[in-house]
Amino acid sequence: EKWETIKSELKNEFKSIIWNSWISPLKVIRYSNSVLSVSVKTELIKNRIERQYYEQIFVKSNVFYSNLKEIKFVVDEQLRNEQNPEKMNKFHSNLDIKSNDNLESENKISFITSVSKTLNKDYTFENFIIGQSNNLAYYSSKKVSHDYSINYNPLFIYGGVGLGKTHLLNAIAWEIYKENKRKFVYMSAERFMYQFIRSLKLNETLTFKEQFRSIDVLMIDDLQFIGGKKSTQQEFFHLFNDLIDLNKQIIITADKSPSAIMDIEARLKSRLSGGLVVDIMPTNNDLRIKIINNKLISKNSFLDKEIIRFLAKNITNNVRELEGALNKIIAYSDFMKTSLNLDKVKEILSDLLKSSDKKISIGDIQFQVSRYFNLTFSELCSKKRSRIIARPRQIAMYLAKEFTDHSYPEIGKLFGGKDHATVIHAVNKIKNLSFNDKIVKKDIEYLISVIKS
């Protein structure tokens, strides 16, 4: 059961041709002394798995098998013993032909097919709902999906979880795919790291570099995952420069702006900021209503306006959560063959609504603000008055007053013993800046979204 779960999760990371040919046939023999033994049908498959896909399989397996140190791939001897020699030779001959066909087929599209994520058919520009919070990201993505522009290279899209970054990357990929003029790779930052590590182990770094240089468009999702990985960052930096010099388009998403990503080298932050940096802000009520109505049309379903307004008002963390809630109540209505009223919707979504109303602590706020501004907790609560520390501290105090029941003196005490006048000044200062300063307003909106989620 563990192994089937692992394979199921790996299915999302590989193209179907690769998963069906190389991953699906794998079977567990045993798990002993921190070594997981897995059977393969031929030596050819064994070599291919070990060279190309070992890292991804190990990472997923390590979640389910505690203290896993190694995966050992073993050619299936049992099958040999069950067949007579004549049948066995014929079997392996056919299998090797099929496997070689798969290998040759994969090598023709070896790099692009093996590293690119499978595209989601629902994530297109037509299905992306536009609002004030995401319109710049949408129109920028439309632009790069058809035209190359030095002003849009790289295009860097950032925002919180479930706001549409991955949707836009998929939409760009679909447009390029339909035009069939440019070669593209769409991959996660983790996948890039796996490929780089594999190339180092196999002494294939030159091949690794040439493969990336052969494409026209590179799309990397969730770049923040290479934070702290110095060798991966270094390789990505050089690749980035090469592709820019060759007029290749680069599109990147992350959960923060380039300057705010933790443990990223300064020179890489500078290069990432050199094109167009756009953000996707948390949705407002009007946009959530538009999203709900669009989903209802696509699902050929109907909900009363009262229910739609309730969902838009109460499920605010991200679009993904909103869609999940909508799917749940529609499924209930279909299965139970009944229409829905507001009371029934509240009952169906009770767990989700309860988690949305979770108690926010000052500790939660301090953690997220420190993380966002790349400060330590002690710096945030210190007496230092430099702008890079004082402003985040004021924002944290403002959010503490907005989202907790603590008094001004209590908040001050939890920020290193500040007096209540200091907290009042901070709250009023940020309240005014949130109306007049676009950067502060965006910082606050982003922090609210992550704190509430």
Side-chain angles (χ1 to χ4, degrees):
E1 289 180 3
K2 287 181 182 179
W3 184 244
E4 291 306 315
T5 303
I6 291 166
K7 288 201 294 183
S8 176
E9 292 195 6
L10 285 167
K11 195 171 186 178
N12 297 324
E13 296 196 11
F14 295 106
K15 294 279 188 180
S16 58
I17 184 176
I18 296 172
W19 192 85
N20 290 330
S21 300
W22 307 102
I23 309 300
S24 178
L26 299 177
K27 296 179 181 178
V28 164
I29 301 173
R30 61 183 167 271
Y31 179 58
S32 176
N33 297 325
S34 299
V35 176
L36 180 65
S37 299
V38 177
S39 71
V40 297
K41 290 184 179 178
T42 69
E43 194 70 32
L44 176 72
I45 295 175
K46 175 179 181 291
N47 292 337
R48 186 64 175 179
I49 292 288
E50 289 177 341
R51 287 169 60 85
Q52 190 77 13
Y53 309 122
Y54 182 90
E55 283 81 10
Q56 291 113 297
I57 297 172
F58 182 88
V59 168
K60 290 293 182 187
S61 301
N62 196 36
V63 175
F64 293 88
Y65 293 94
S66 59
N67 303 317
L68 178 65
K69 293 179 180 177
E70 181 189 358
I71 299 178
K72 190 174 289 185
F73 295 97
V74 182
V75 177
D76 192 353
E77 294 294 337
Q78 183 179 358
L79 189 60
R80 296 179 190 273
N81 297 331
E82 289 175 354
Q83 307 276 350
N84 62 46
E86 185 179 348
K87 284 185 177 180
M88 196 65 226
N89 289 336
K90 185 177 181 181
F91 170 81
H92 275 291
S93 175
N94 289 335
L95 183 60
D96 285 344
I97 290 171
K98 289 179 182 178
S99 299
N100 278 308
D101 285 344
N102 283 333
L103 186 59
E104 183 181 351
S105 173
E106 187 187 345
N107 280 335
K108 289 178 182 175
I109 46 173
S110 59
F111 178 62
I112 292 174
T113 302
S114 64
V115 303
S116 284
K117 294 172 71 172
T118 303
L119 298 182
N120 187 321
K121 62 182 176 62
D122 296 323
Y123 286 178
T124 64
F125 284 122
E126 291 76 17
N127 292 337
F128 191 86
I129 309 303
I130 312 166
Q132 189 175 357
S133 62
N134 60 25
N135 56 6
L136 183 56
Y138 172 82
Y139 289 115
S140 302
S141 299
K142 286 274 283 187
K143 173 75 174 175
V144 300
S145 68
H146 297 290
D147 305 309
Y148 169 82
S149 170
I150 191 170
N151 296 322
Y152 287 72
N153 204 17
L155 173 61
F156 191 103
I157 304 171
Y158 72 95
V161 175
L163 296 180
K165 303 186 299 296
T166 300
H167 188 140
L168 287 176
L169 278 189
N170 271 262
I172 294 168
W174 280 123
E175 292 299 307
I176 297 172
Y177 176 78
K178 284 191 290 186
E179 285 186 348
N180 198 26
K181 294 177 183 177
R182 294 179 289 173
K183 292 187 291 183
F184 70 89
V185 161
Y186 163 44
M187 66 194 306
S188 66
E190 285 182 297
R191 182 74 167 127
F192 178 87
M193 186 170 65
Y194 295 148
Q195 289 296 307
F196 173 59
I197 292 169
R198 188 186 69 84
S199 72
L200 289 176
K201 287 182 177 179
L202 300 175
N203 293 318
E204 294 179 352
T205 52
L206 287 176
T207 302
F208 173 83
K209 292 173 182 177
E210 288 306 315
Q211 286 173 326
F212 273 101
R213 291 189 184 99
S214 70
I215 63 175
D216 302 301
V217 182
L218 173 63
M219 292 181 279
I220 302 284
D221 203 6
D222 290 325
L223 189 74
Q224 70 272 8
F225 285 111
I226 68 170
K229 312 294 191 301
K230 289 187 177 180
S231 58
T232 303
Q233 286 181 42
Q234 189 175 32
E235 184 60 35
F236 183 75
F237 178 78
H238 293 306
L239 172 64
F240 183 100
N241 288 334
D242 289 344
L243 293 179
I244 293 289
D245 290 342
L246 292 168
N247 292 331
K248 306 295 182 74
Q249 180 72 56
I250 300 174
I251 306 152
I252 293 167
T253 71
D255 62 350
K256 300 181 185 69
S257 66
S259 61
I261 300 177
M262 294 178 66
D263 300 323
I264 294 283
E265 293 180 3
R267 62 176 184 170
L268 181 54
K269 288 183 179 182
S270 176
R271 292 296 281 165
L272 293 171
S273 303
L276 178 63
V277 178
V278 296
D279 60 343
I280 301 181
M281 301 304 297
T283 56
N284 58 27
N285 195 69
D286 290 341
L287 181 56
R288 288 192 290 273
I289 288 175
K290 285 173 65 176
I291 291 169
I292 293 170
N293 284 324
N294 183 72
K295 291 293 176 184
L296 289 172
I297 292 171
S298 68
K299 296 174 182 295
N300 196 26
S301 299
F302 172 81
L303 288 176
D304 289 336
K305 287 184 179 180
E306 182 185 28
I307 296 175
I308 293 172
R309 287 195 295 267
F310 173 82
L311 294 174
K313 182 180 178 181
N314 289 277
I315 302 178
T316 60
N317 287 340
N318 58 63
V319 177
R320 207 170 291 156
E321 195 172 279
L322 184 61
E323 290 179 359
L326 200 57
N327 289 336
K328 187 173 182 179
I329 60 177
I330 290 173
Y332 180 90
S333 178
D334 290 344
F335 292 147
M336 303 305 292
K337 307 294 183 187
T338 183
S339 58
L340 296 170
N341 57 39
L342 185 56
D343 289 336
K344 178 56 69 174
V345 167
K346 289 179 181 178
E347 182 185 326
I348 296 168
L349 302 179
S350 58
D351 289 344
L352 181 59
L353 295 171
K354 196 177 295 181
S355 67
S356 297
D357 293 333
K358 71 168 186 167
K359 195 81 171 174
I360 296 171
S361 70
I362 288 182
D364 296 332
I365 293 168
Q366 289 170 329
F367 172 76
Q368 294 296 350
V369 172
S370 299
R371 187 176 176 215
Y372 180 70
F373 288 103
N374 200 16
L375 301 173
T376 63
F377 175 78
S378 59
E379 285 174 329
L380 187 70
C381 298
S382 69
K383 295 182 179 180
K384 294 179 182 178
R385 296 186 177 183
S386 61
R387 186 182 178 86
I388 60 172
I389 295 176
R391 183 54 49 79
R393 184 190 300 132
Q394 290 173 333
I395 290 174
M397 289 178 174
Y398 166 79
L399 293 171
K401 189 59 185 169
E402 286 288 307
F403 288 100
T404 74
D405 297 327
H406 289 287
S407 65
Y408 289 119
E410 288 171 336
I411 293 171
K413 186 178 180 180
L414 292 168
F415 277 86
K418 307 293 186 295
D419 60 45
H420 74 283
T422 301
V423 181
I424 292 171
H425 171 74
V427 171
N428 290 334
K429 179 79 172 176
I430 299 303
K431 193 176 290 185
N432 290 330
L433 286 175
S434 66
F435 290 109
N436 303 315
D437 189 313
K438 290 183 178 179
I439 294 175
V440 172
K441 182 182 179 181
K442 286 183 177 180
D443 288 340
I444 291 171
E445 287 176 341
Y446 174 79
L447 285 165
I448 289 173
S449 71
V450 295
I451 289 166
K452 291 178 73 175
S453 64

